[in-house]
Amino acid sequence: MMLNNRIPFRAHWNQLRRQYQESLPLRMSLWLAVMLLVVHLILLCQDWRVEREEHYRRLAKDWLKLQAISRQTSWPERSKQADDVLLRVRERFWLSTNASQARADVQAWLDDQVTMAGVDDAKITVLAPTGFDREDSVARIEAEVRGVFHPESFSRLLHAIEGEPRQIVVDYLELNNQISPAINLQLSFLFLQPSQAAL
């Protein structure tokens, strides 16, 4: 059975060889196809080589950068500068261990400032804190100060708010200087928990 299969194959192969030897256009076409295949393979190899060279060039550049960075001696100084900046930023926030204490601190601070500024008929409302249930966020307490508008007392109150080193945001300000002069000042106090401040 194997011999029977080989005989037609050998006959077919001999026929192809005879056609190749007798036909010049067939020979030229085959050689042209082989040449095109070789050229294509050479171009592929060149593209691969260029890509590899670019890859190694990038690796070498990154390696040189890392070496230059590792030779720098200013890292401890930069780290200390970053820590100092972070400390100054943290000092801008109010600190409290819990929401109730934070709310009491805001109420006491506003009571003192309103009294010292001399705002008449002052009414202070401190809203429920937000953000104290999550340690990874800045907590916020909003408060509202209403009272009789007098330029001197209002100026003293604004000066106290502006002079406070800890963060106080003026969310809304309304001055009514008509029949019944009044102020409506809405503020936000930003808090960190001590565990955040110590990071």
Side-chain angles (χ1 to χ4, degrees), residues 95-129:
L95 294 179
S96 183
T97 54
N98 60 63
S100 300
Q101 182 61 49
R103 194 172 185 183
D105 290 346
V106 169
Q107 183 74 49
W109 188 87
L110 283 174
D111 285 341
D112 289 346
Q113 302 309 318
V114 165
T115 302
M116 285 192 288
V119 178
D120 292 335
D121 295 329
K123 180 183 176 190
I124 298 170
T125 306
V126 179
L127 303 178

Side-chain angles (χ1 to χ4, degrees), residues 31-43:
W31 279 110
L32 182 62
V34 169
M35 286 175 51
L36 288 174
L37 182 62
V38 169
V39 168
H40 182 65
L41 289 173
I42 290 171
L43 291 175

Side-chain angles (χ1 to χ4, degrees), residues 117-186:
V119 178
D120 292 335
D121 295 329
K123 180 183 176 190
I124 298 170
T125 306
V126 179
L127 303 178
T130 57
F132 277 91
D133 51 343
R134 294 196 343 246
E135 287 192 17
D136 61 341
S137 67
V138 173
R140 182 185 186 98
I141 294 181
E142 295 179 356
E144 181 181 63
V145 178
R146 290 178 176 269
V148 176
F149 173 69
H150 294 296
E152 298 83 11
S153 61
F154 179 67
S155 175
R156 285 192 294 268
L157 180 59
L158 280 185
H159 185 70
I161 292 169
E162 186 182 88
E164 172 59 43
R166 295 168 295 184
Q167 189 75 27
I168 303 173
V169 179
V170 177
D171 295 323
Y172 178 78
L173 170 61
E174 180 183 11
L175 299 176
N176 181 352
N177 196 13
Q178 295 176 0
I179 300 169
S180 175
I183 60 169
N184 179 4
L185 182 62
Q186 295 177 10

Side-chain angles (χ1 to χ4, degrees), residues 19-151:
Q19 286 177 354
Y20 173 76
Q21 290 171 353
E22 292 172 359
S23 174
L24 181 62
L26 178 61
R27 281 198 309 268
M28 292 185 68
S29 298
L30 286 174
W31 279 110
L32 182 62
V34 169
M35 286 175 51
L36 288 174
L37 182 62
V38 169
V39 168
H40 182 65
L41 289 173
I42 290 171
L43 291 175
L44 283 177
C45 288
Q46 285 181 339
D47 289 345
W48 180 82
R49 186 179 56 80
V50 168
E51 184 182 324
R52 291 288 92 200
E53 283 180 3
E54 183 61 31
H55 177 69
Y56 289 131
R57 197 174 293 117
R58 283 196 306 267
L59 286 177
K61 188 176 178 182
D62 291 345
W63 174 249
L64 291 174
K65 276 185 188 177
L66 287 173
Q67 282 186 324
I69 288 171
S70 68
R71 284 194 293 269
Q72 291 182 3
T73 58
S74 60
W75 287 112
E77 181 183 332
R78 289 183 184 180
S79 175
K80 185 178 181 320
Q81 289 173 350
D83 287 342
D84 291 344
V85 169
L86 189 58
L87 182 62
R88 284 197 297 274
V89 169
R90 285 183 178 143
E91 286 173 349
R92 298 273 300 149
F93 288 90
W94 296 67
L95 294 179
S96 183
T97 54
N98 60 63
S100 300
Q101 182 61 49
R103 194 172 185 183
D105 290 346
V106 169
Q107 183 74 49
W109 188 87
L110 283 174
D111 285 341
D112 289 346
Q113 302 309 318
V114 165
T115 302
M116 285 192 288
V119 178
D120 292 335
D121 295 329
K123 180 183 176 190
I124 298 170
T125 306
V126 179
L127 303 178
T130 57
F132 277 91
D133 51 343
R134 294 196 343 246
E135 287 192 17
D136 61 341
S137 67
V138 173
R140 182 185 186 98
I141 294 181
E142 295 179 356
E144 181 181 63
V145 178
R146 290 178 176 269
V148 176
F149 173 69
H150 294 296

